[in-house]
Amino acid sequence: EIVMTQSPATLSVSPGERATLSCRASQSVSSNLAWYQQKPGQAPRLLIYGASTRATGIPARFSGSGSGTEFTLTISSLQSEDFAVYYCQQYNNWPRTFGQGTRLEI
Amino acid sequence: EVQLVESGGGLVKPGGSLRLSCAASGFTFSSYSMNWVRQAPGKGLEWVSSISSSGSSIYYADSVKGRFTISRDNAKNLLYLQMNSLRAEDTAVYYCAGATVTTSPFDDWGQGTLVTVSS
């Protein structure tokens, strides 16, 4: 099983600042890496797939990078609605696995 | 508009059974791979099971293998998860999620249904 490790667990930032979230895979997942956003009481929402492609309707301030085992989600200028929990997920191997999440807070 | 609506959750005793359903609309259900993902209270996301568009390919997490069965009815646009021998650690919100193919990420998610396993 591929273990996905996200860091930091919690990131405290201010609106307008840049946020950088990391995700590491225990073995290569190529570019088969997705990022999801989850707000309290809501279902997750797909943000990024293929490590760097924004899903439909996702603002350009969200960007993803990386391949192999190291990945980054960057939010260039935080808006109030971006404060949420972010999960990475590999879909290269079975079982599909998620990181433990990074909570983005003010 | 894509809609996925889960139902069938509730309170069940350890060792009991429950069947979850996910009603799909707004897209060609029979062309999409479907998935179940769960989230224990206050915890992260855990993939549970996936089924290909035709139902010919099925995958399970080790934690549910032999106890849970995923299936689909493409004529009725329904996805199912039959859960047997339930344990306390199966307590979670269960989400259904659609994907273009089994090798894709999860594009669309339902709002989830809560399963509580407790005596």
Side-chain angles (χ1 to χ4, degrees):
Chain A
E1 170 177 321
I2 297 176
V3 176
M4 307 300 293
T5 303
Q6 291 185 240
S7 61
T10 303
L11 183 60
S12 298
V13 291
S14 299
E17 290 186 340
R18 172 189 293 255
T20 302
L21 289 66
S22 296
C23 175
R24 173 177 294 179
S26 60
Q27 65 187 74
S28 177
V29 298
S30 187
S31 293
N32 295 314
L33 188 284
W35 290 94
Y36 301 87
Q37 177 194 66
Q38 188 179 33
K39 297 179 180 179
Q42 296 186 16
R45 176 175 71 147
L46 178 65
L47 295 177
I48 299 284
Y49 63 94
S52 61
T53 302
R54 282 189 302 277
T56 303
I58 301 304
R61 64 180 181 274
F62 291 90
S63 63
S65 64
S67 65
T69 62
E70 301 283 344
F71 301 90
T72 300
L73 174 69
T74 301
I75 311 171
S76 60
S77 178
L78 281 160
Q79 307 296 303
S80 57
E81 62 265 30
D82 300 335
F83 292 92
V85 179
Y86 292 82
Y87 295 94
C88 61
Q89 180 219 10
Q90 67 81 19
Y91 52 96
N92 195 65
N93 288 62
W94 300 99
R96 302 308 194 218
T97 47
F98 291 88
Q100 80 279 17
T102 290
R103 180 179 304 276
L104 201 54
E105 62 178 31
I106 300 175
Chain B
E1 179 195 2
V2 172
Q3 270 207 312
L4 296 168
V5 180
E6 302 91 338
S7 60
L11 176 62
V12 61
K13 289 181 168 51
S17 297
L18 214 53
R19 189 176 83 156
L20 305 183
S21 299
C22 172
S25 60
F27 65 105
T28 307
F29 179 74
S30 60
S31 297
Y32 277 71
S33 168
M34 295 300 296
N35 311 272
W36 289 100
V37 177
R38 68 185 180 184
Q39 186 169 37
K43 303 296 185 183
L45 301 171
E46 180 189 14
W47 169 77
V48 172
S49 183
S50 298
I51 186 168
S52 63
S53 57
S54 66
S56 59
S57 296
I58 286 175
Y59 307 88
Y60 295 103
D62 284 347
S63 57
V64 306
K65 199 173 294 183
R67 300 187 300 123
F68 289 12
T69 302
I70 191 172
S71 62
R72 64 191 297 160
D73 185 334
N74 285 345
K76 296 181 179 179
N77 287 359
L78 287 169
L79 172 72
Y80 302 105
L81 186 67
Q82 177 67 43
M83 304 186 296
N84 299 331
S85 304
L86 283 161
R87 307 166 179 166
E89 54 265 35
D90 295 319
T91 294
V93 173
Y94 285 72
Y95 296 101
C96 68
T100 308
V101 291
T102 54
T103 51
S104 297
F106 304 158
D107 301 288
D108 299 288
W109 298 64
Q111 282 305 301
T113 187
L114 176 62
V115 172
T116 303
V117 184
S118 174
S119 55

